[in-house]
Amino acid sequence: QSVLTQPPSASGTPGQRVTISCSGSSSNIGSNYVHWYQQLPGTAPKLLISRNNRRPSGVPDRFSGSKSGTSASLAISGLRSEDEADYYCATWDDSLSGWVFGGGTKLTVL
Amino acid sequence: QVQLVQSGTEVKKPGASVKVSCKASGYTFTSYYIHWVRQAPGQGLEWMGIINPSGGSTTYAQKFQGRVTMTRDTSTSTVYMELSSLRSEDTAVFYCARAVEMAAAHDFWGQGTLVTVSS
């Protein structure tokens, strides 16, 4: 059972917009930045969104993040087949004095 | 360019220990924290702990307290993660990842090291 809750799966057709949610509490999302990682099959995770909504260099602007209260969301617009991957939210937890990850969402492009 | 290169696949017996290395290059080694993250087969990411290469201070996830030790060698820009008393449930890919602050995003990751625990 992960501290951060994500839906286990999401799907969409090419060109569609998909959102992935991440729910936490006041000790984690509620008081710290949320970051998102993309993990393509068989590869290491890659930073996708930092500090709630910042895209690292090289990340397409089709990816965006937002946060409100104790929840956060990742949105992917103009869905492409290469977006098929696992997506994880993560943040620091003040109560645990450590990092917590969501359980991951497997995105399928139909 | 920034690189974190990890040591190779390990196969260990239950009760043994494993030590995984993570060699950093392309940046100032002591300016970034190094995290260790575990991923069991088909499962999600699990944070194990963090080391500050500058002074060597560490913070471990409660789950791994007493079983994990993170160290660094500034002369070779290498961080080590040792996990003891291995059990089959420890079979996983272990990743190192850097971050500029303890609570900052992990902006570069190692390629991962598979550790298999089997009798």
Side-chain angles (χ1 to χ4, degrees):
Chain A
Q1 193 85 355
S2 302
V3 173
L4 304 181
T5 301
Q6 295 180 236
S9 63
S11 63
T13 56
Q16 268 191 330
R17 183 176 186 270
V18 170
T19 62
I20 296 171
S21 62
C22 177
S23 177
S25 67
S26 58
S27 66
N28 44 64
I29 293 180
S31 50
N32 293 289
Y33 289 120
V34 176
H35 316 290
W36 290 90
Y37 301 89
Q38 177 193 58
Q39 187 175 34
L40 297 169
T43 69
K46 167 193 164 185
L47 179 62
L48 196 63
I49 296 287
S50 70
R51 290 191 170 199
N52 304 333
N53 54 22
R54 297 187 182 186
R55 280 186 311 277
S57 174
V59 174
D61 58 7
R62 301 187 296 106
F63 295 90
S64 62
S66 64
K67 172 184 143 176
S68 178
T70 59
S71 294
S73 290
L74 172 70
I76 309 171
S77 60
L79 202 59
R80 304 175 68 157
S81 58
E82 57 259 42
D83 298 333
E84 197 160 276
D86 293 324
Y87 293 85
Y88 294 90
C89 59
T91 187
W92 179 265
D93 189 297
D94 294 332
S95 295
L96 298 174
S97 293
W99 275 76
V100 289
F101 285 89
T105 299
K106 184 176 184 60
L107 175 64
T108 301
V109 181
L110 302 169
Chain B
Q1 71 284 20
V2 175
Q3 282 192 305
L4 296 174
V5 179
Q6 300 183 222
S7 49
T9 298
E10 300 266 11
V11 179
K12 295 292 182 181
K13 293 196 181 303
S17 297
V18 67
K19 193 170 187 177
V20 180
S21 67
C22 171
K23 183 173 175 59
S25 62
Y27 71 95
T28 302
F29 177 63
T30 52
S31 295
Y32 289 80
Y33 291 78
I34 294 290
H35 296 253
W36 288 91
V37 176
R38 180 173 87 167
Q39 186 170 38
Q43 302 300 308
L45 303 173
E46 181 177 33
W47 184 75
M48 299 181 68
I50 184 174
I51 182 169
N52 181 351
S54 179
S57 61
T58 55
T59 299
Y60 302 136
Q62 190 168 9
K63 176 175 180 176
F64 298 100
Q65 290 267 10
R67 263 205 324 142
V68 70
T69 304
M70 297 176 188
T71 56
R72 95 291 189 215
D73 182 343
T74 55
S75 69
T76 60
S77 298
T78 303
V79 170
Y80 300 91
M81 186 283 298
E82 183 170 21
L83 188 62
S84 62
S85 303
L86 291 169
R87 32 209 189 233
S88 59
E89 312 88 86
D90 292 318
T91 293
V93 175
F94 293 78
Y95 293 103
C96 62
R98 77 161 201 179
V100 69
E101 298 172 348
M102 188 174 279
H106 313 86
D107 62 352
F108 281 93
W109 293 66
Q111 84 276 18
T113 296
L114 173 63
V115 175
T116 301
V117 182
S118 174
S119 54

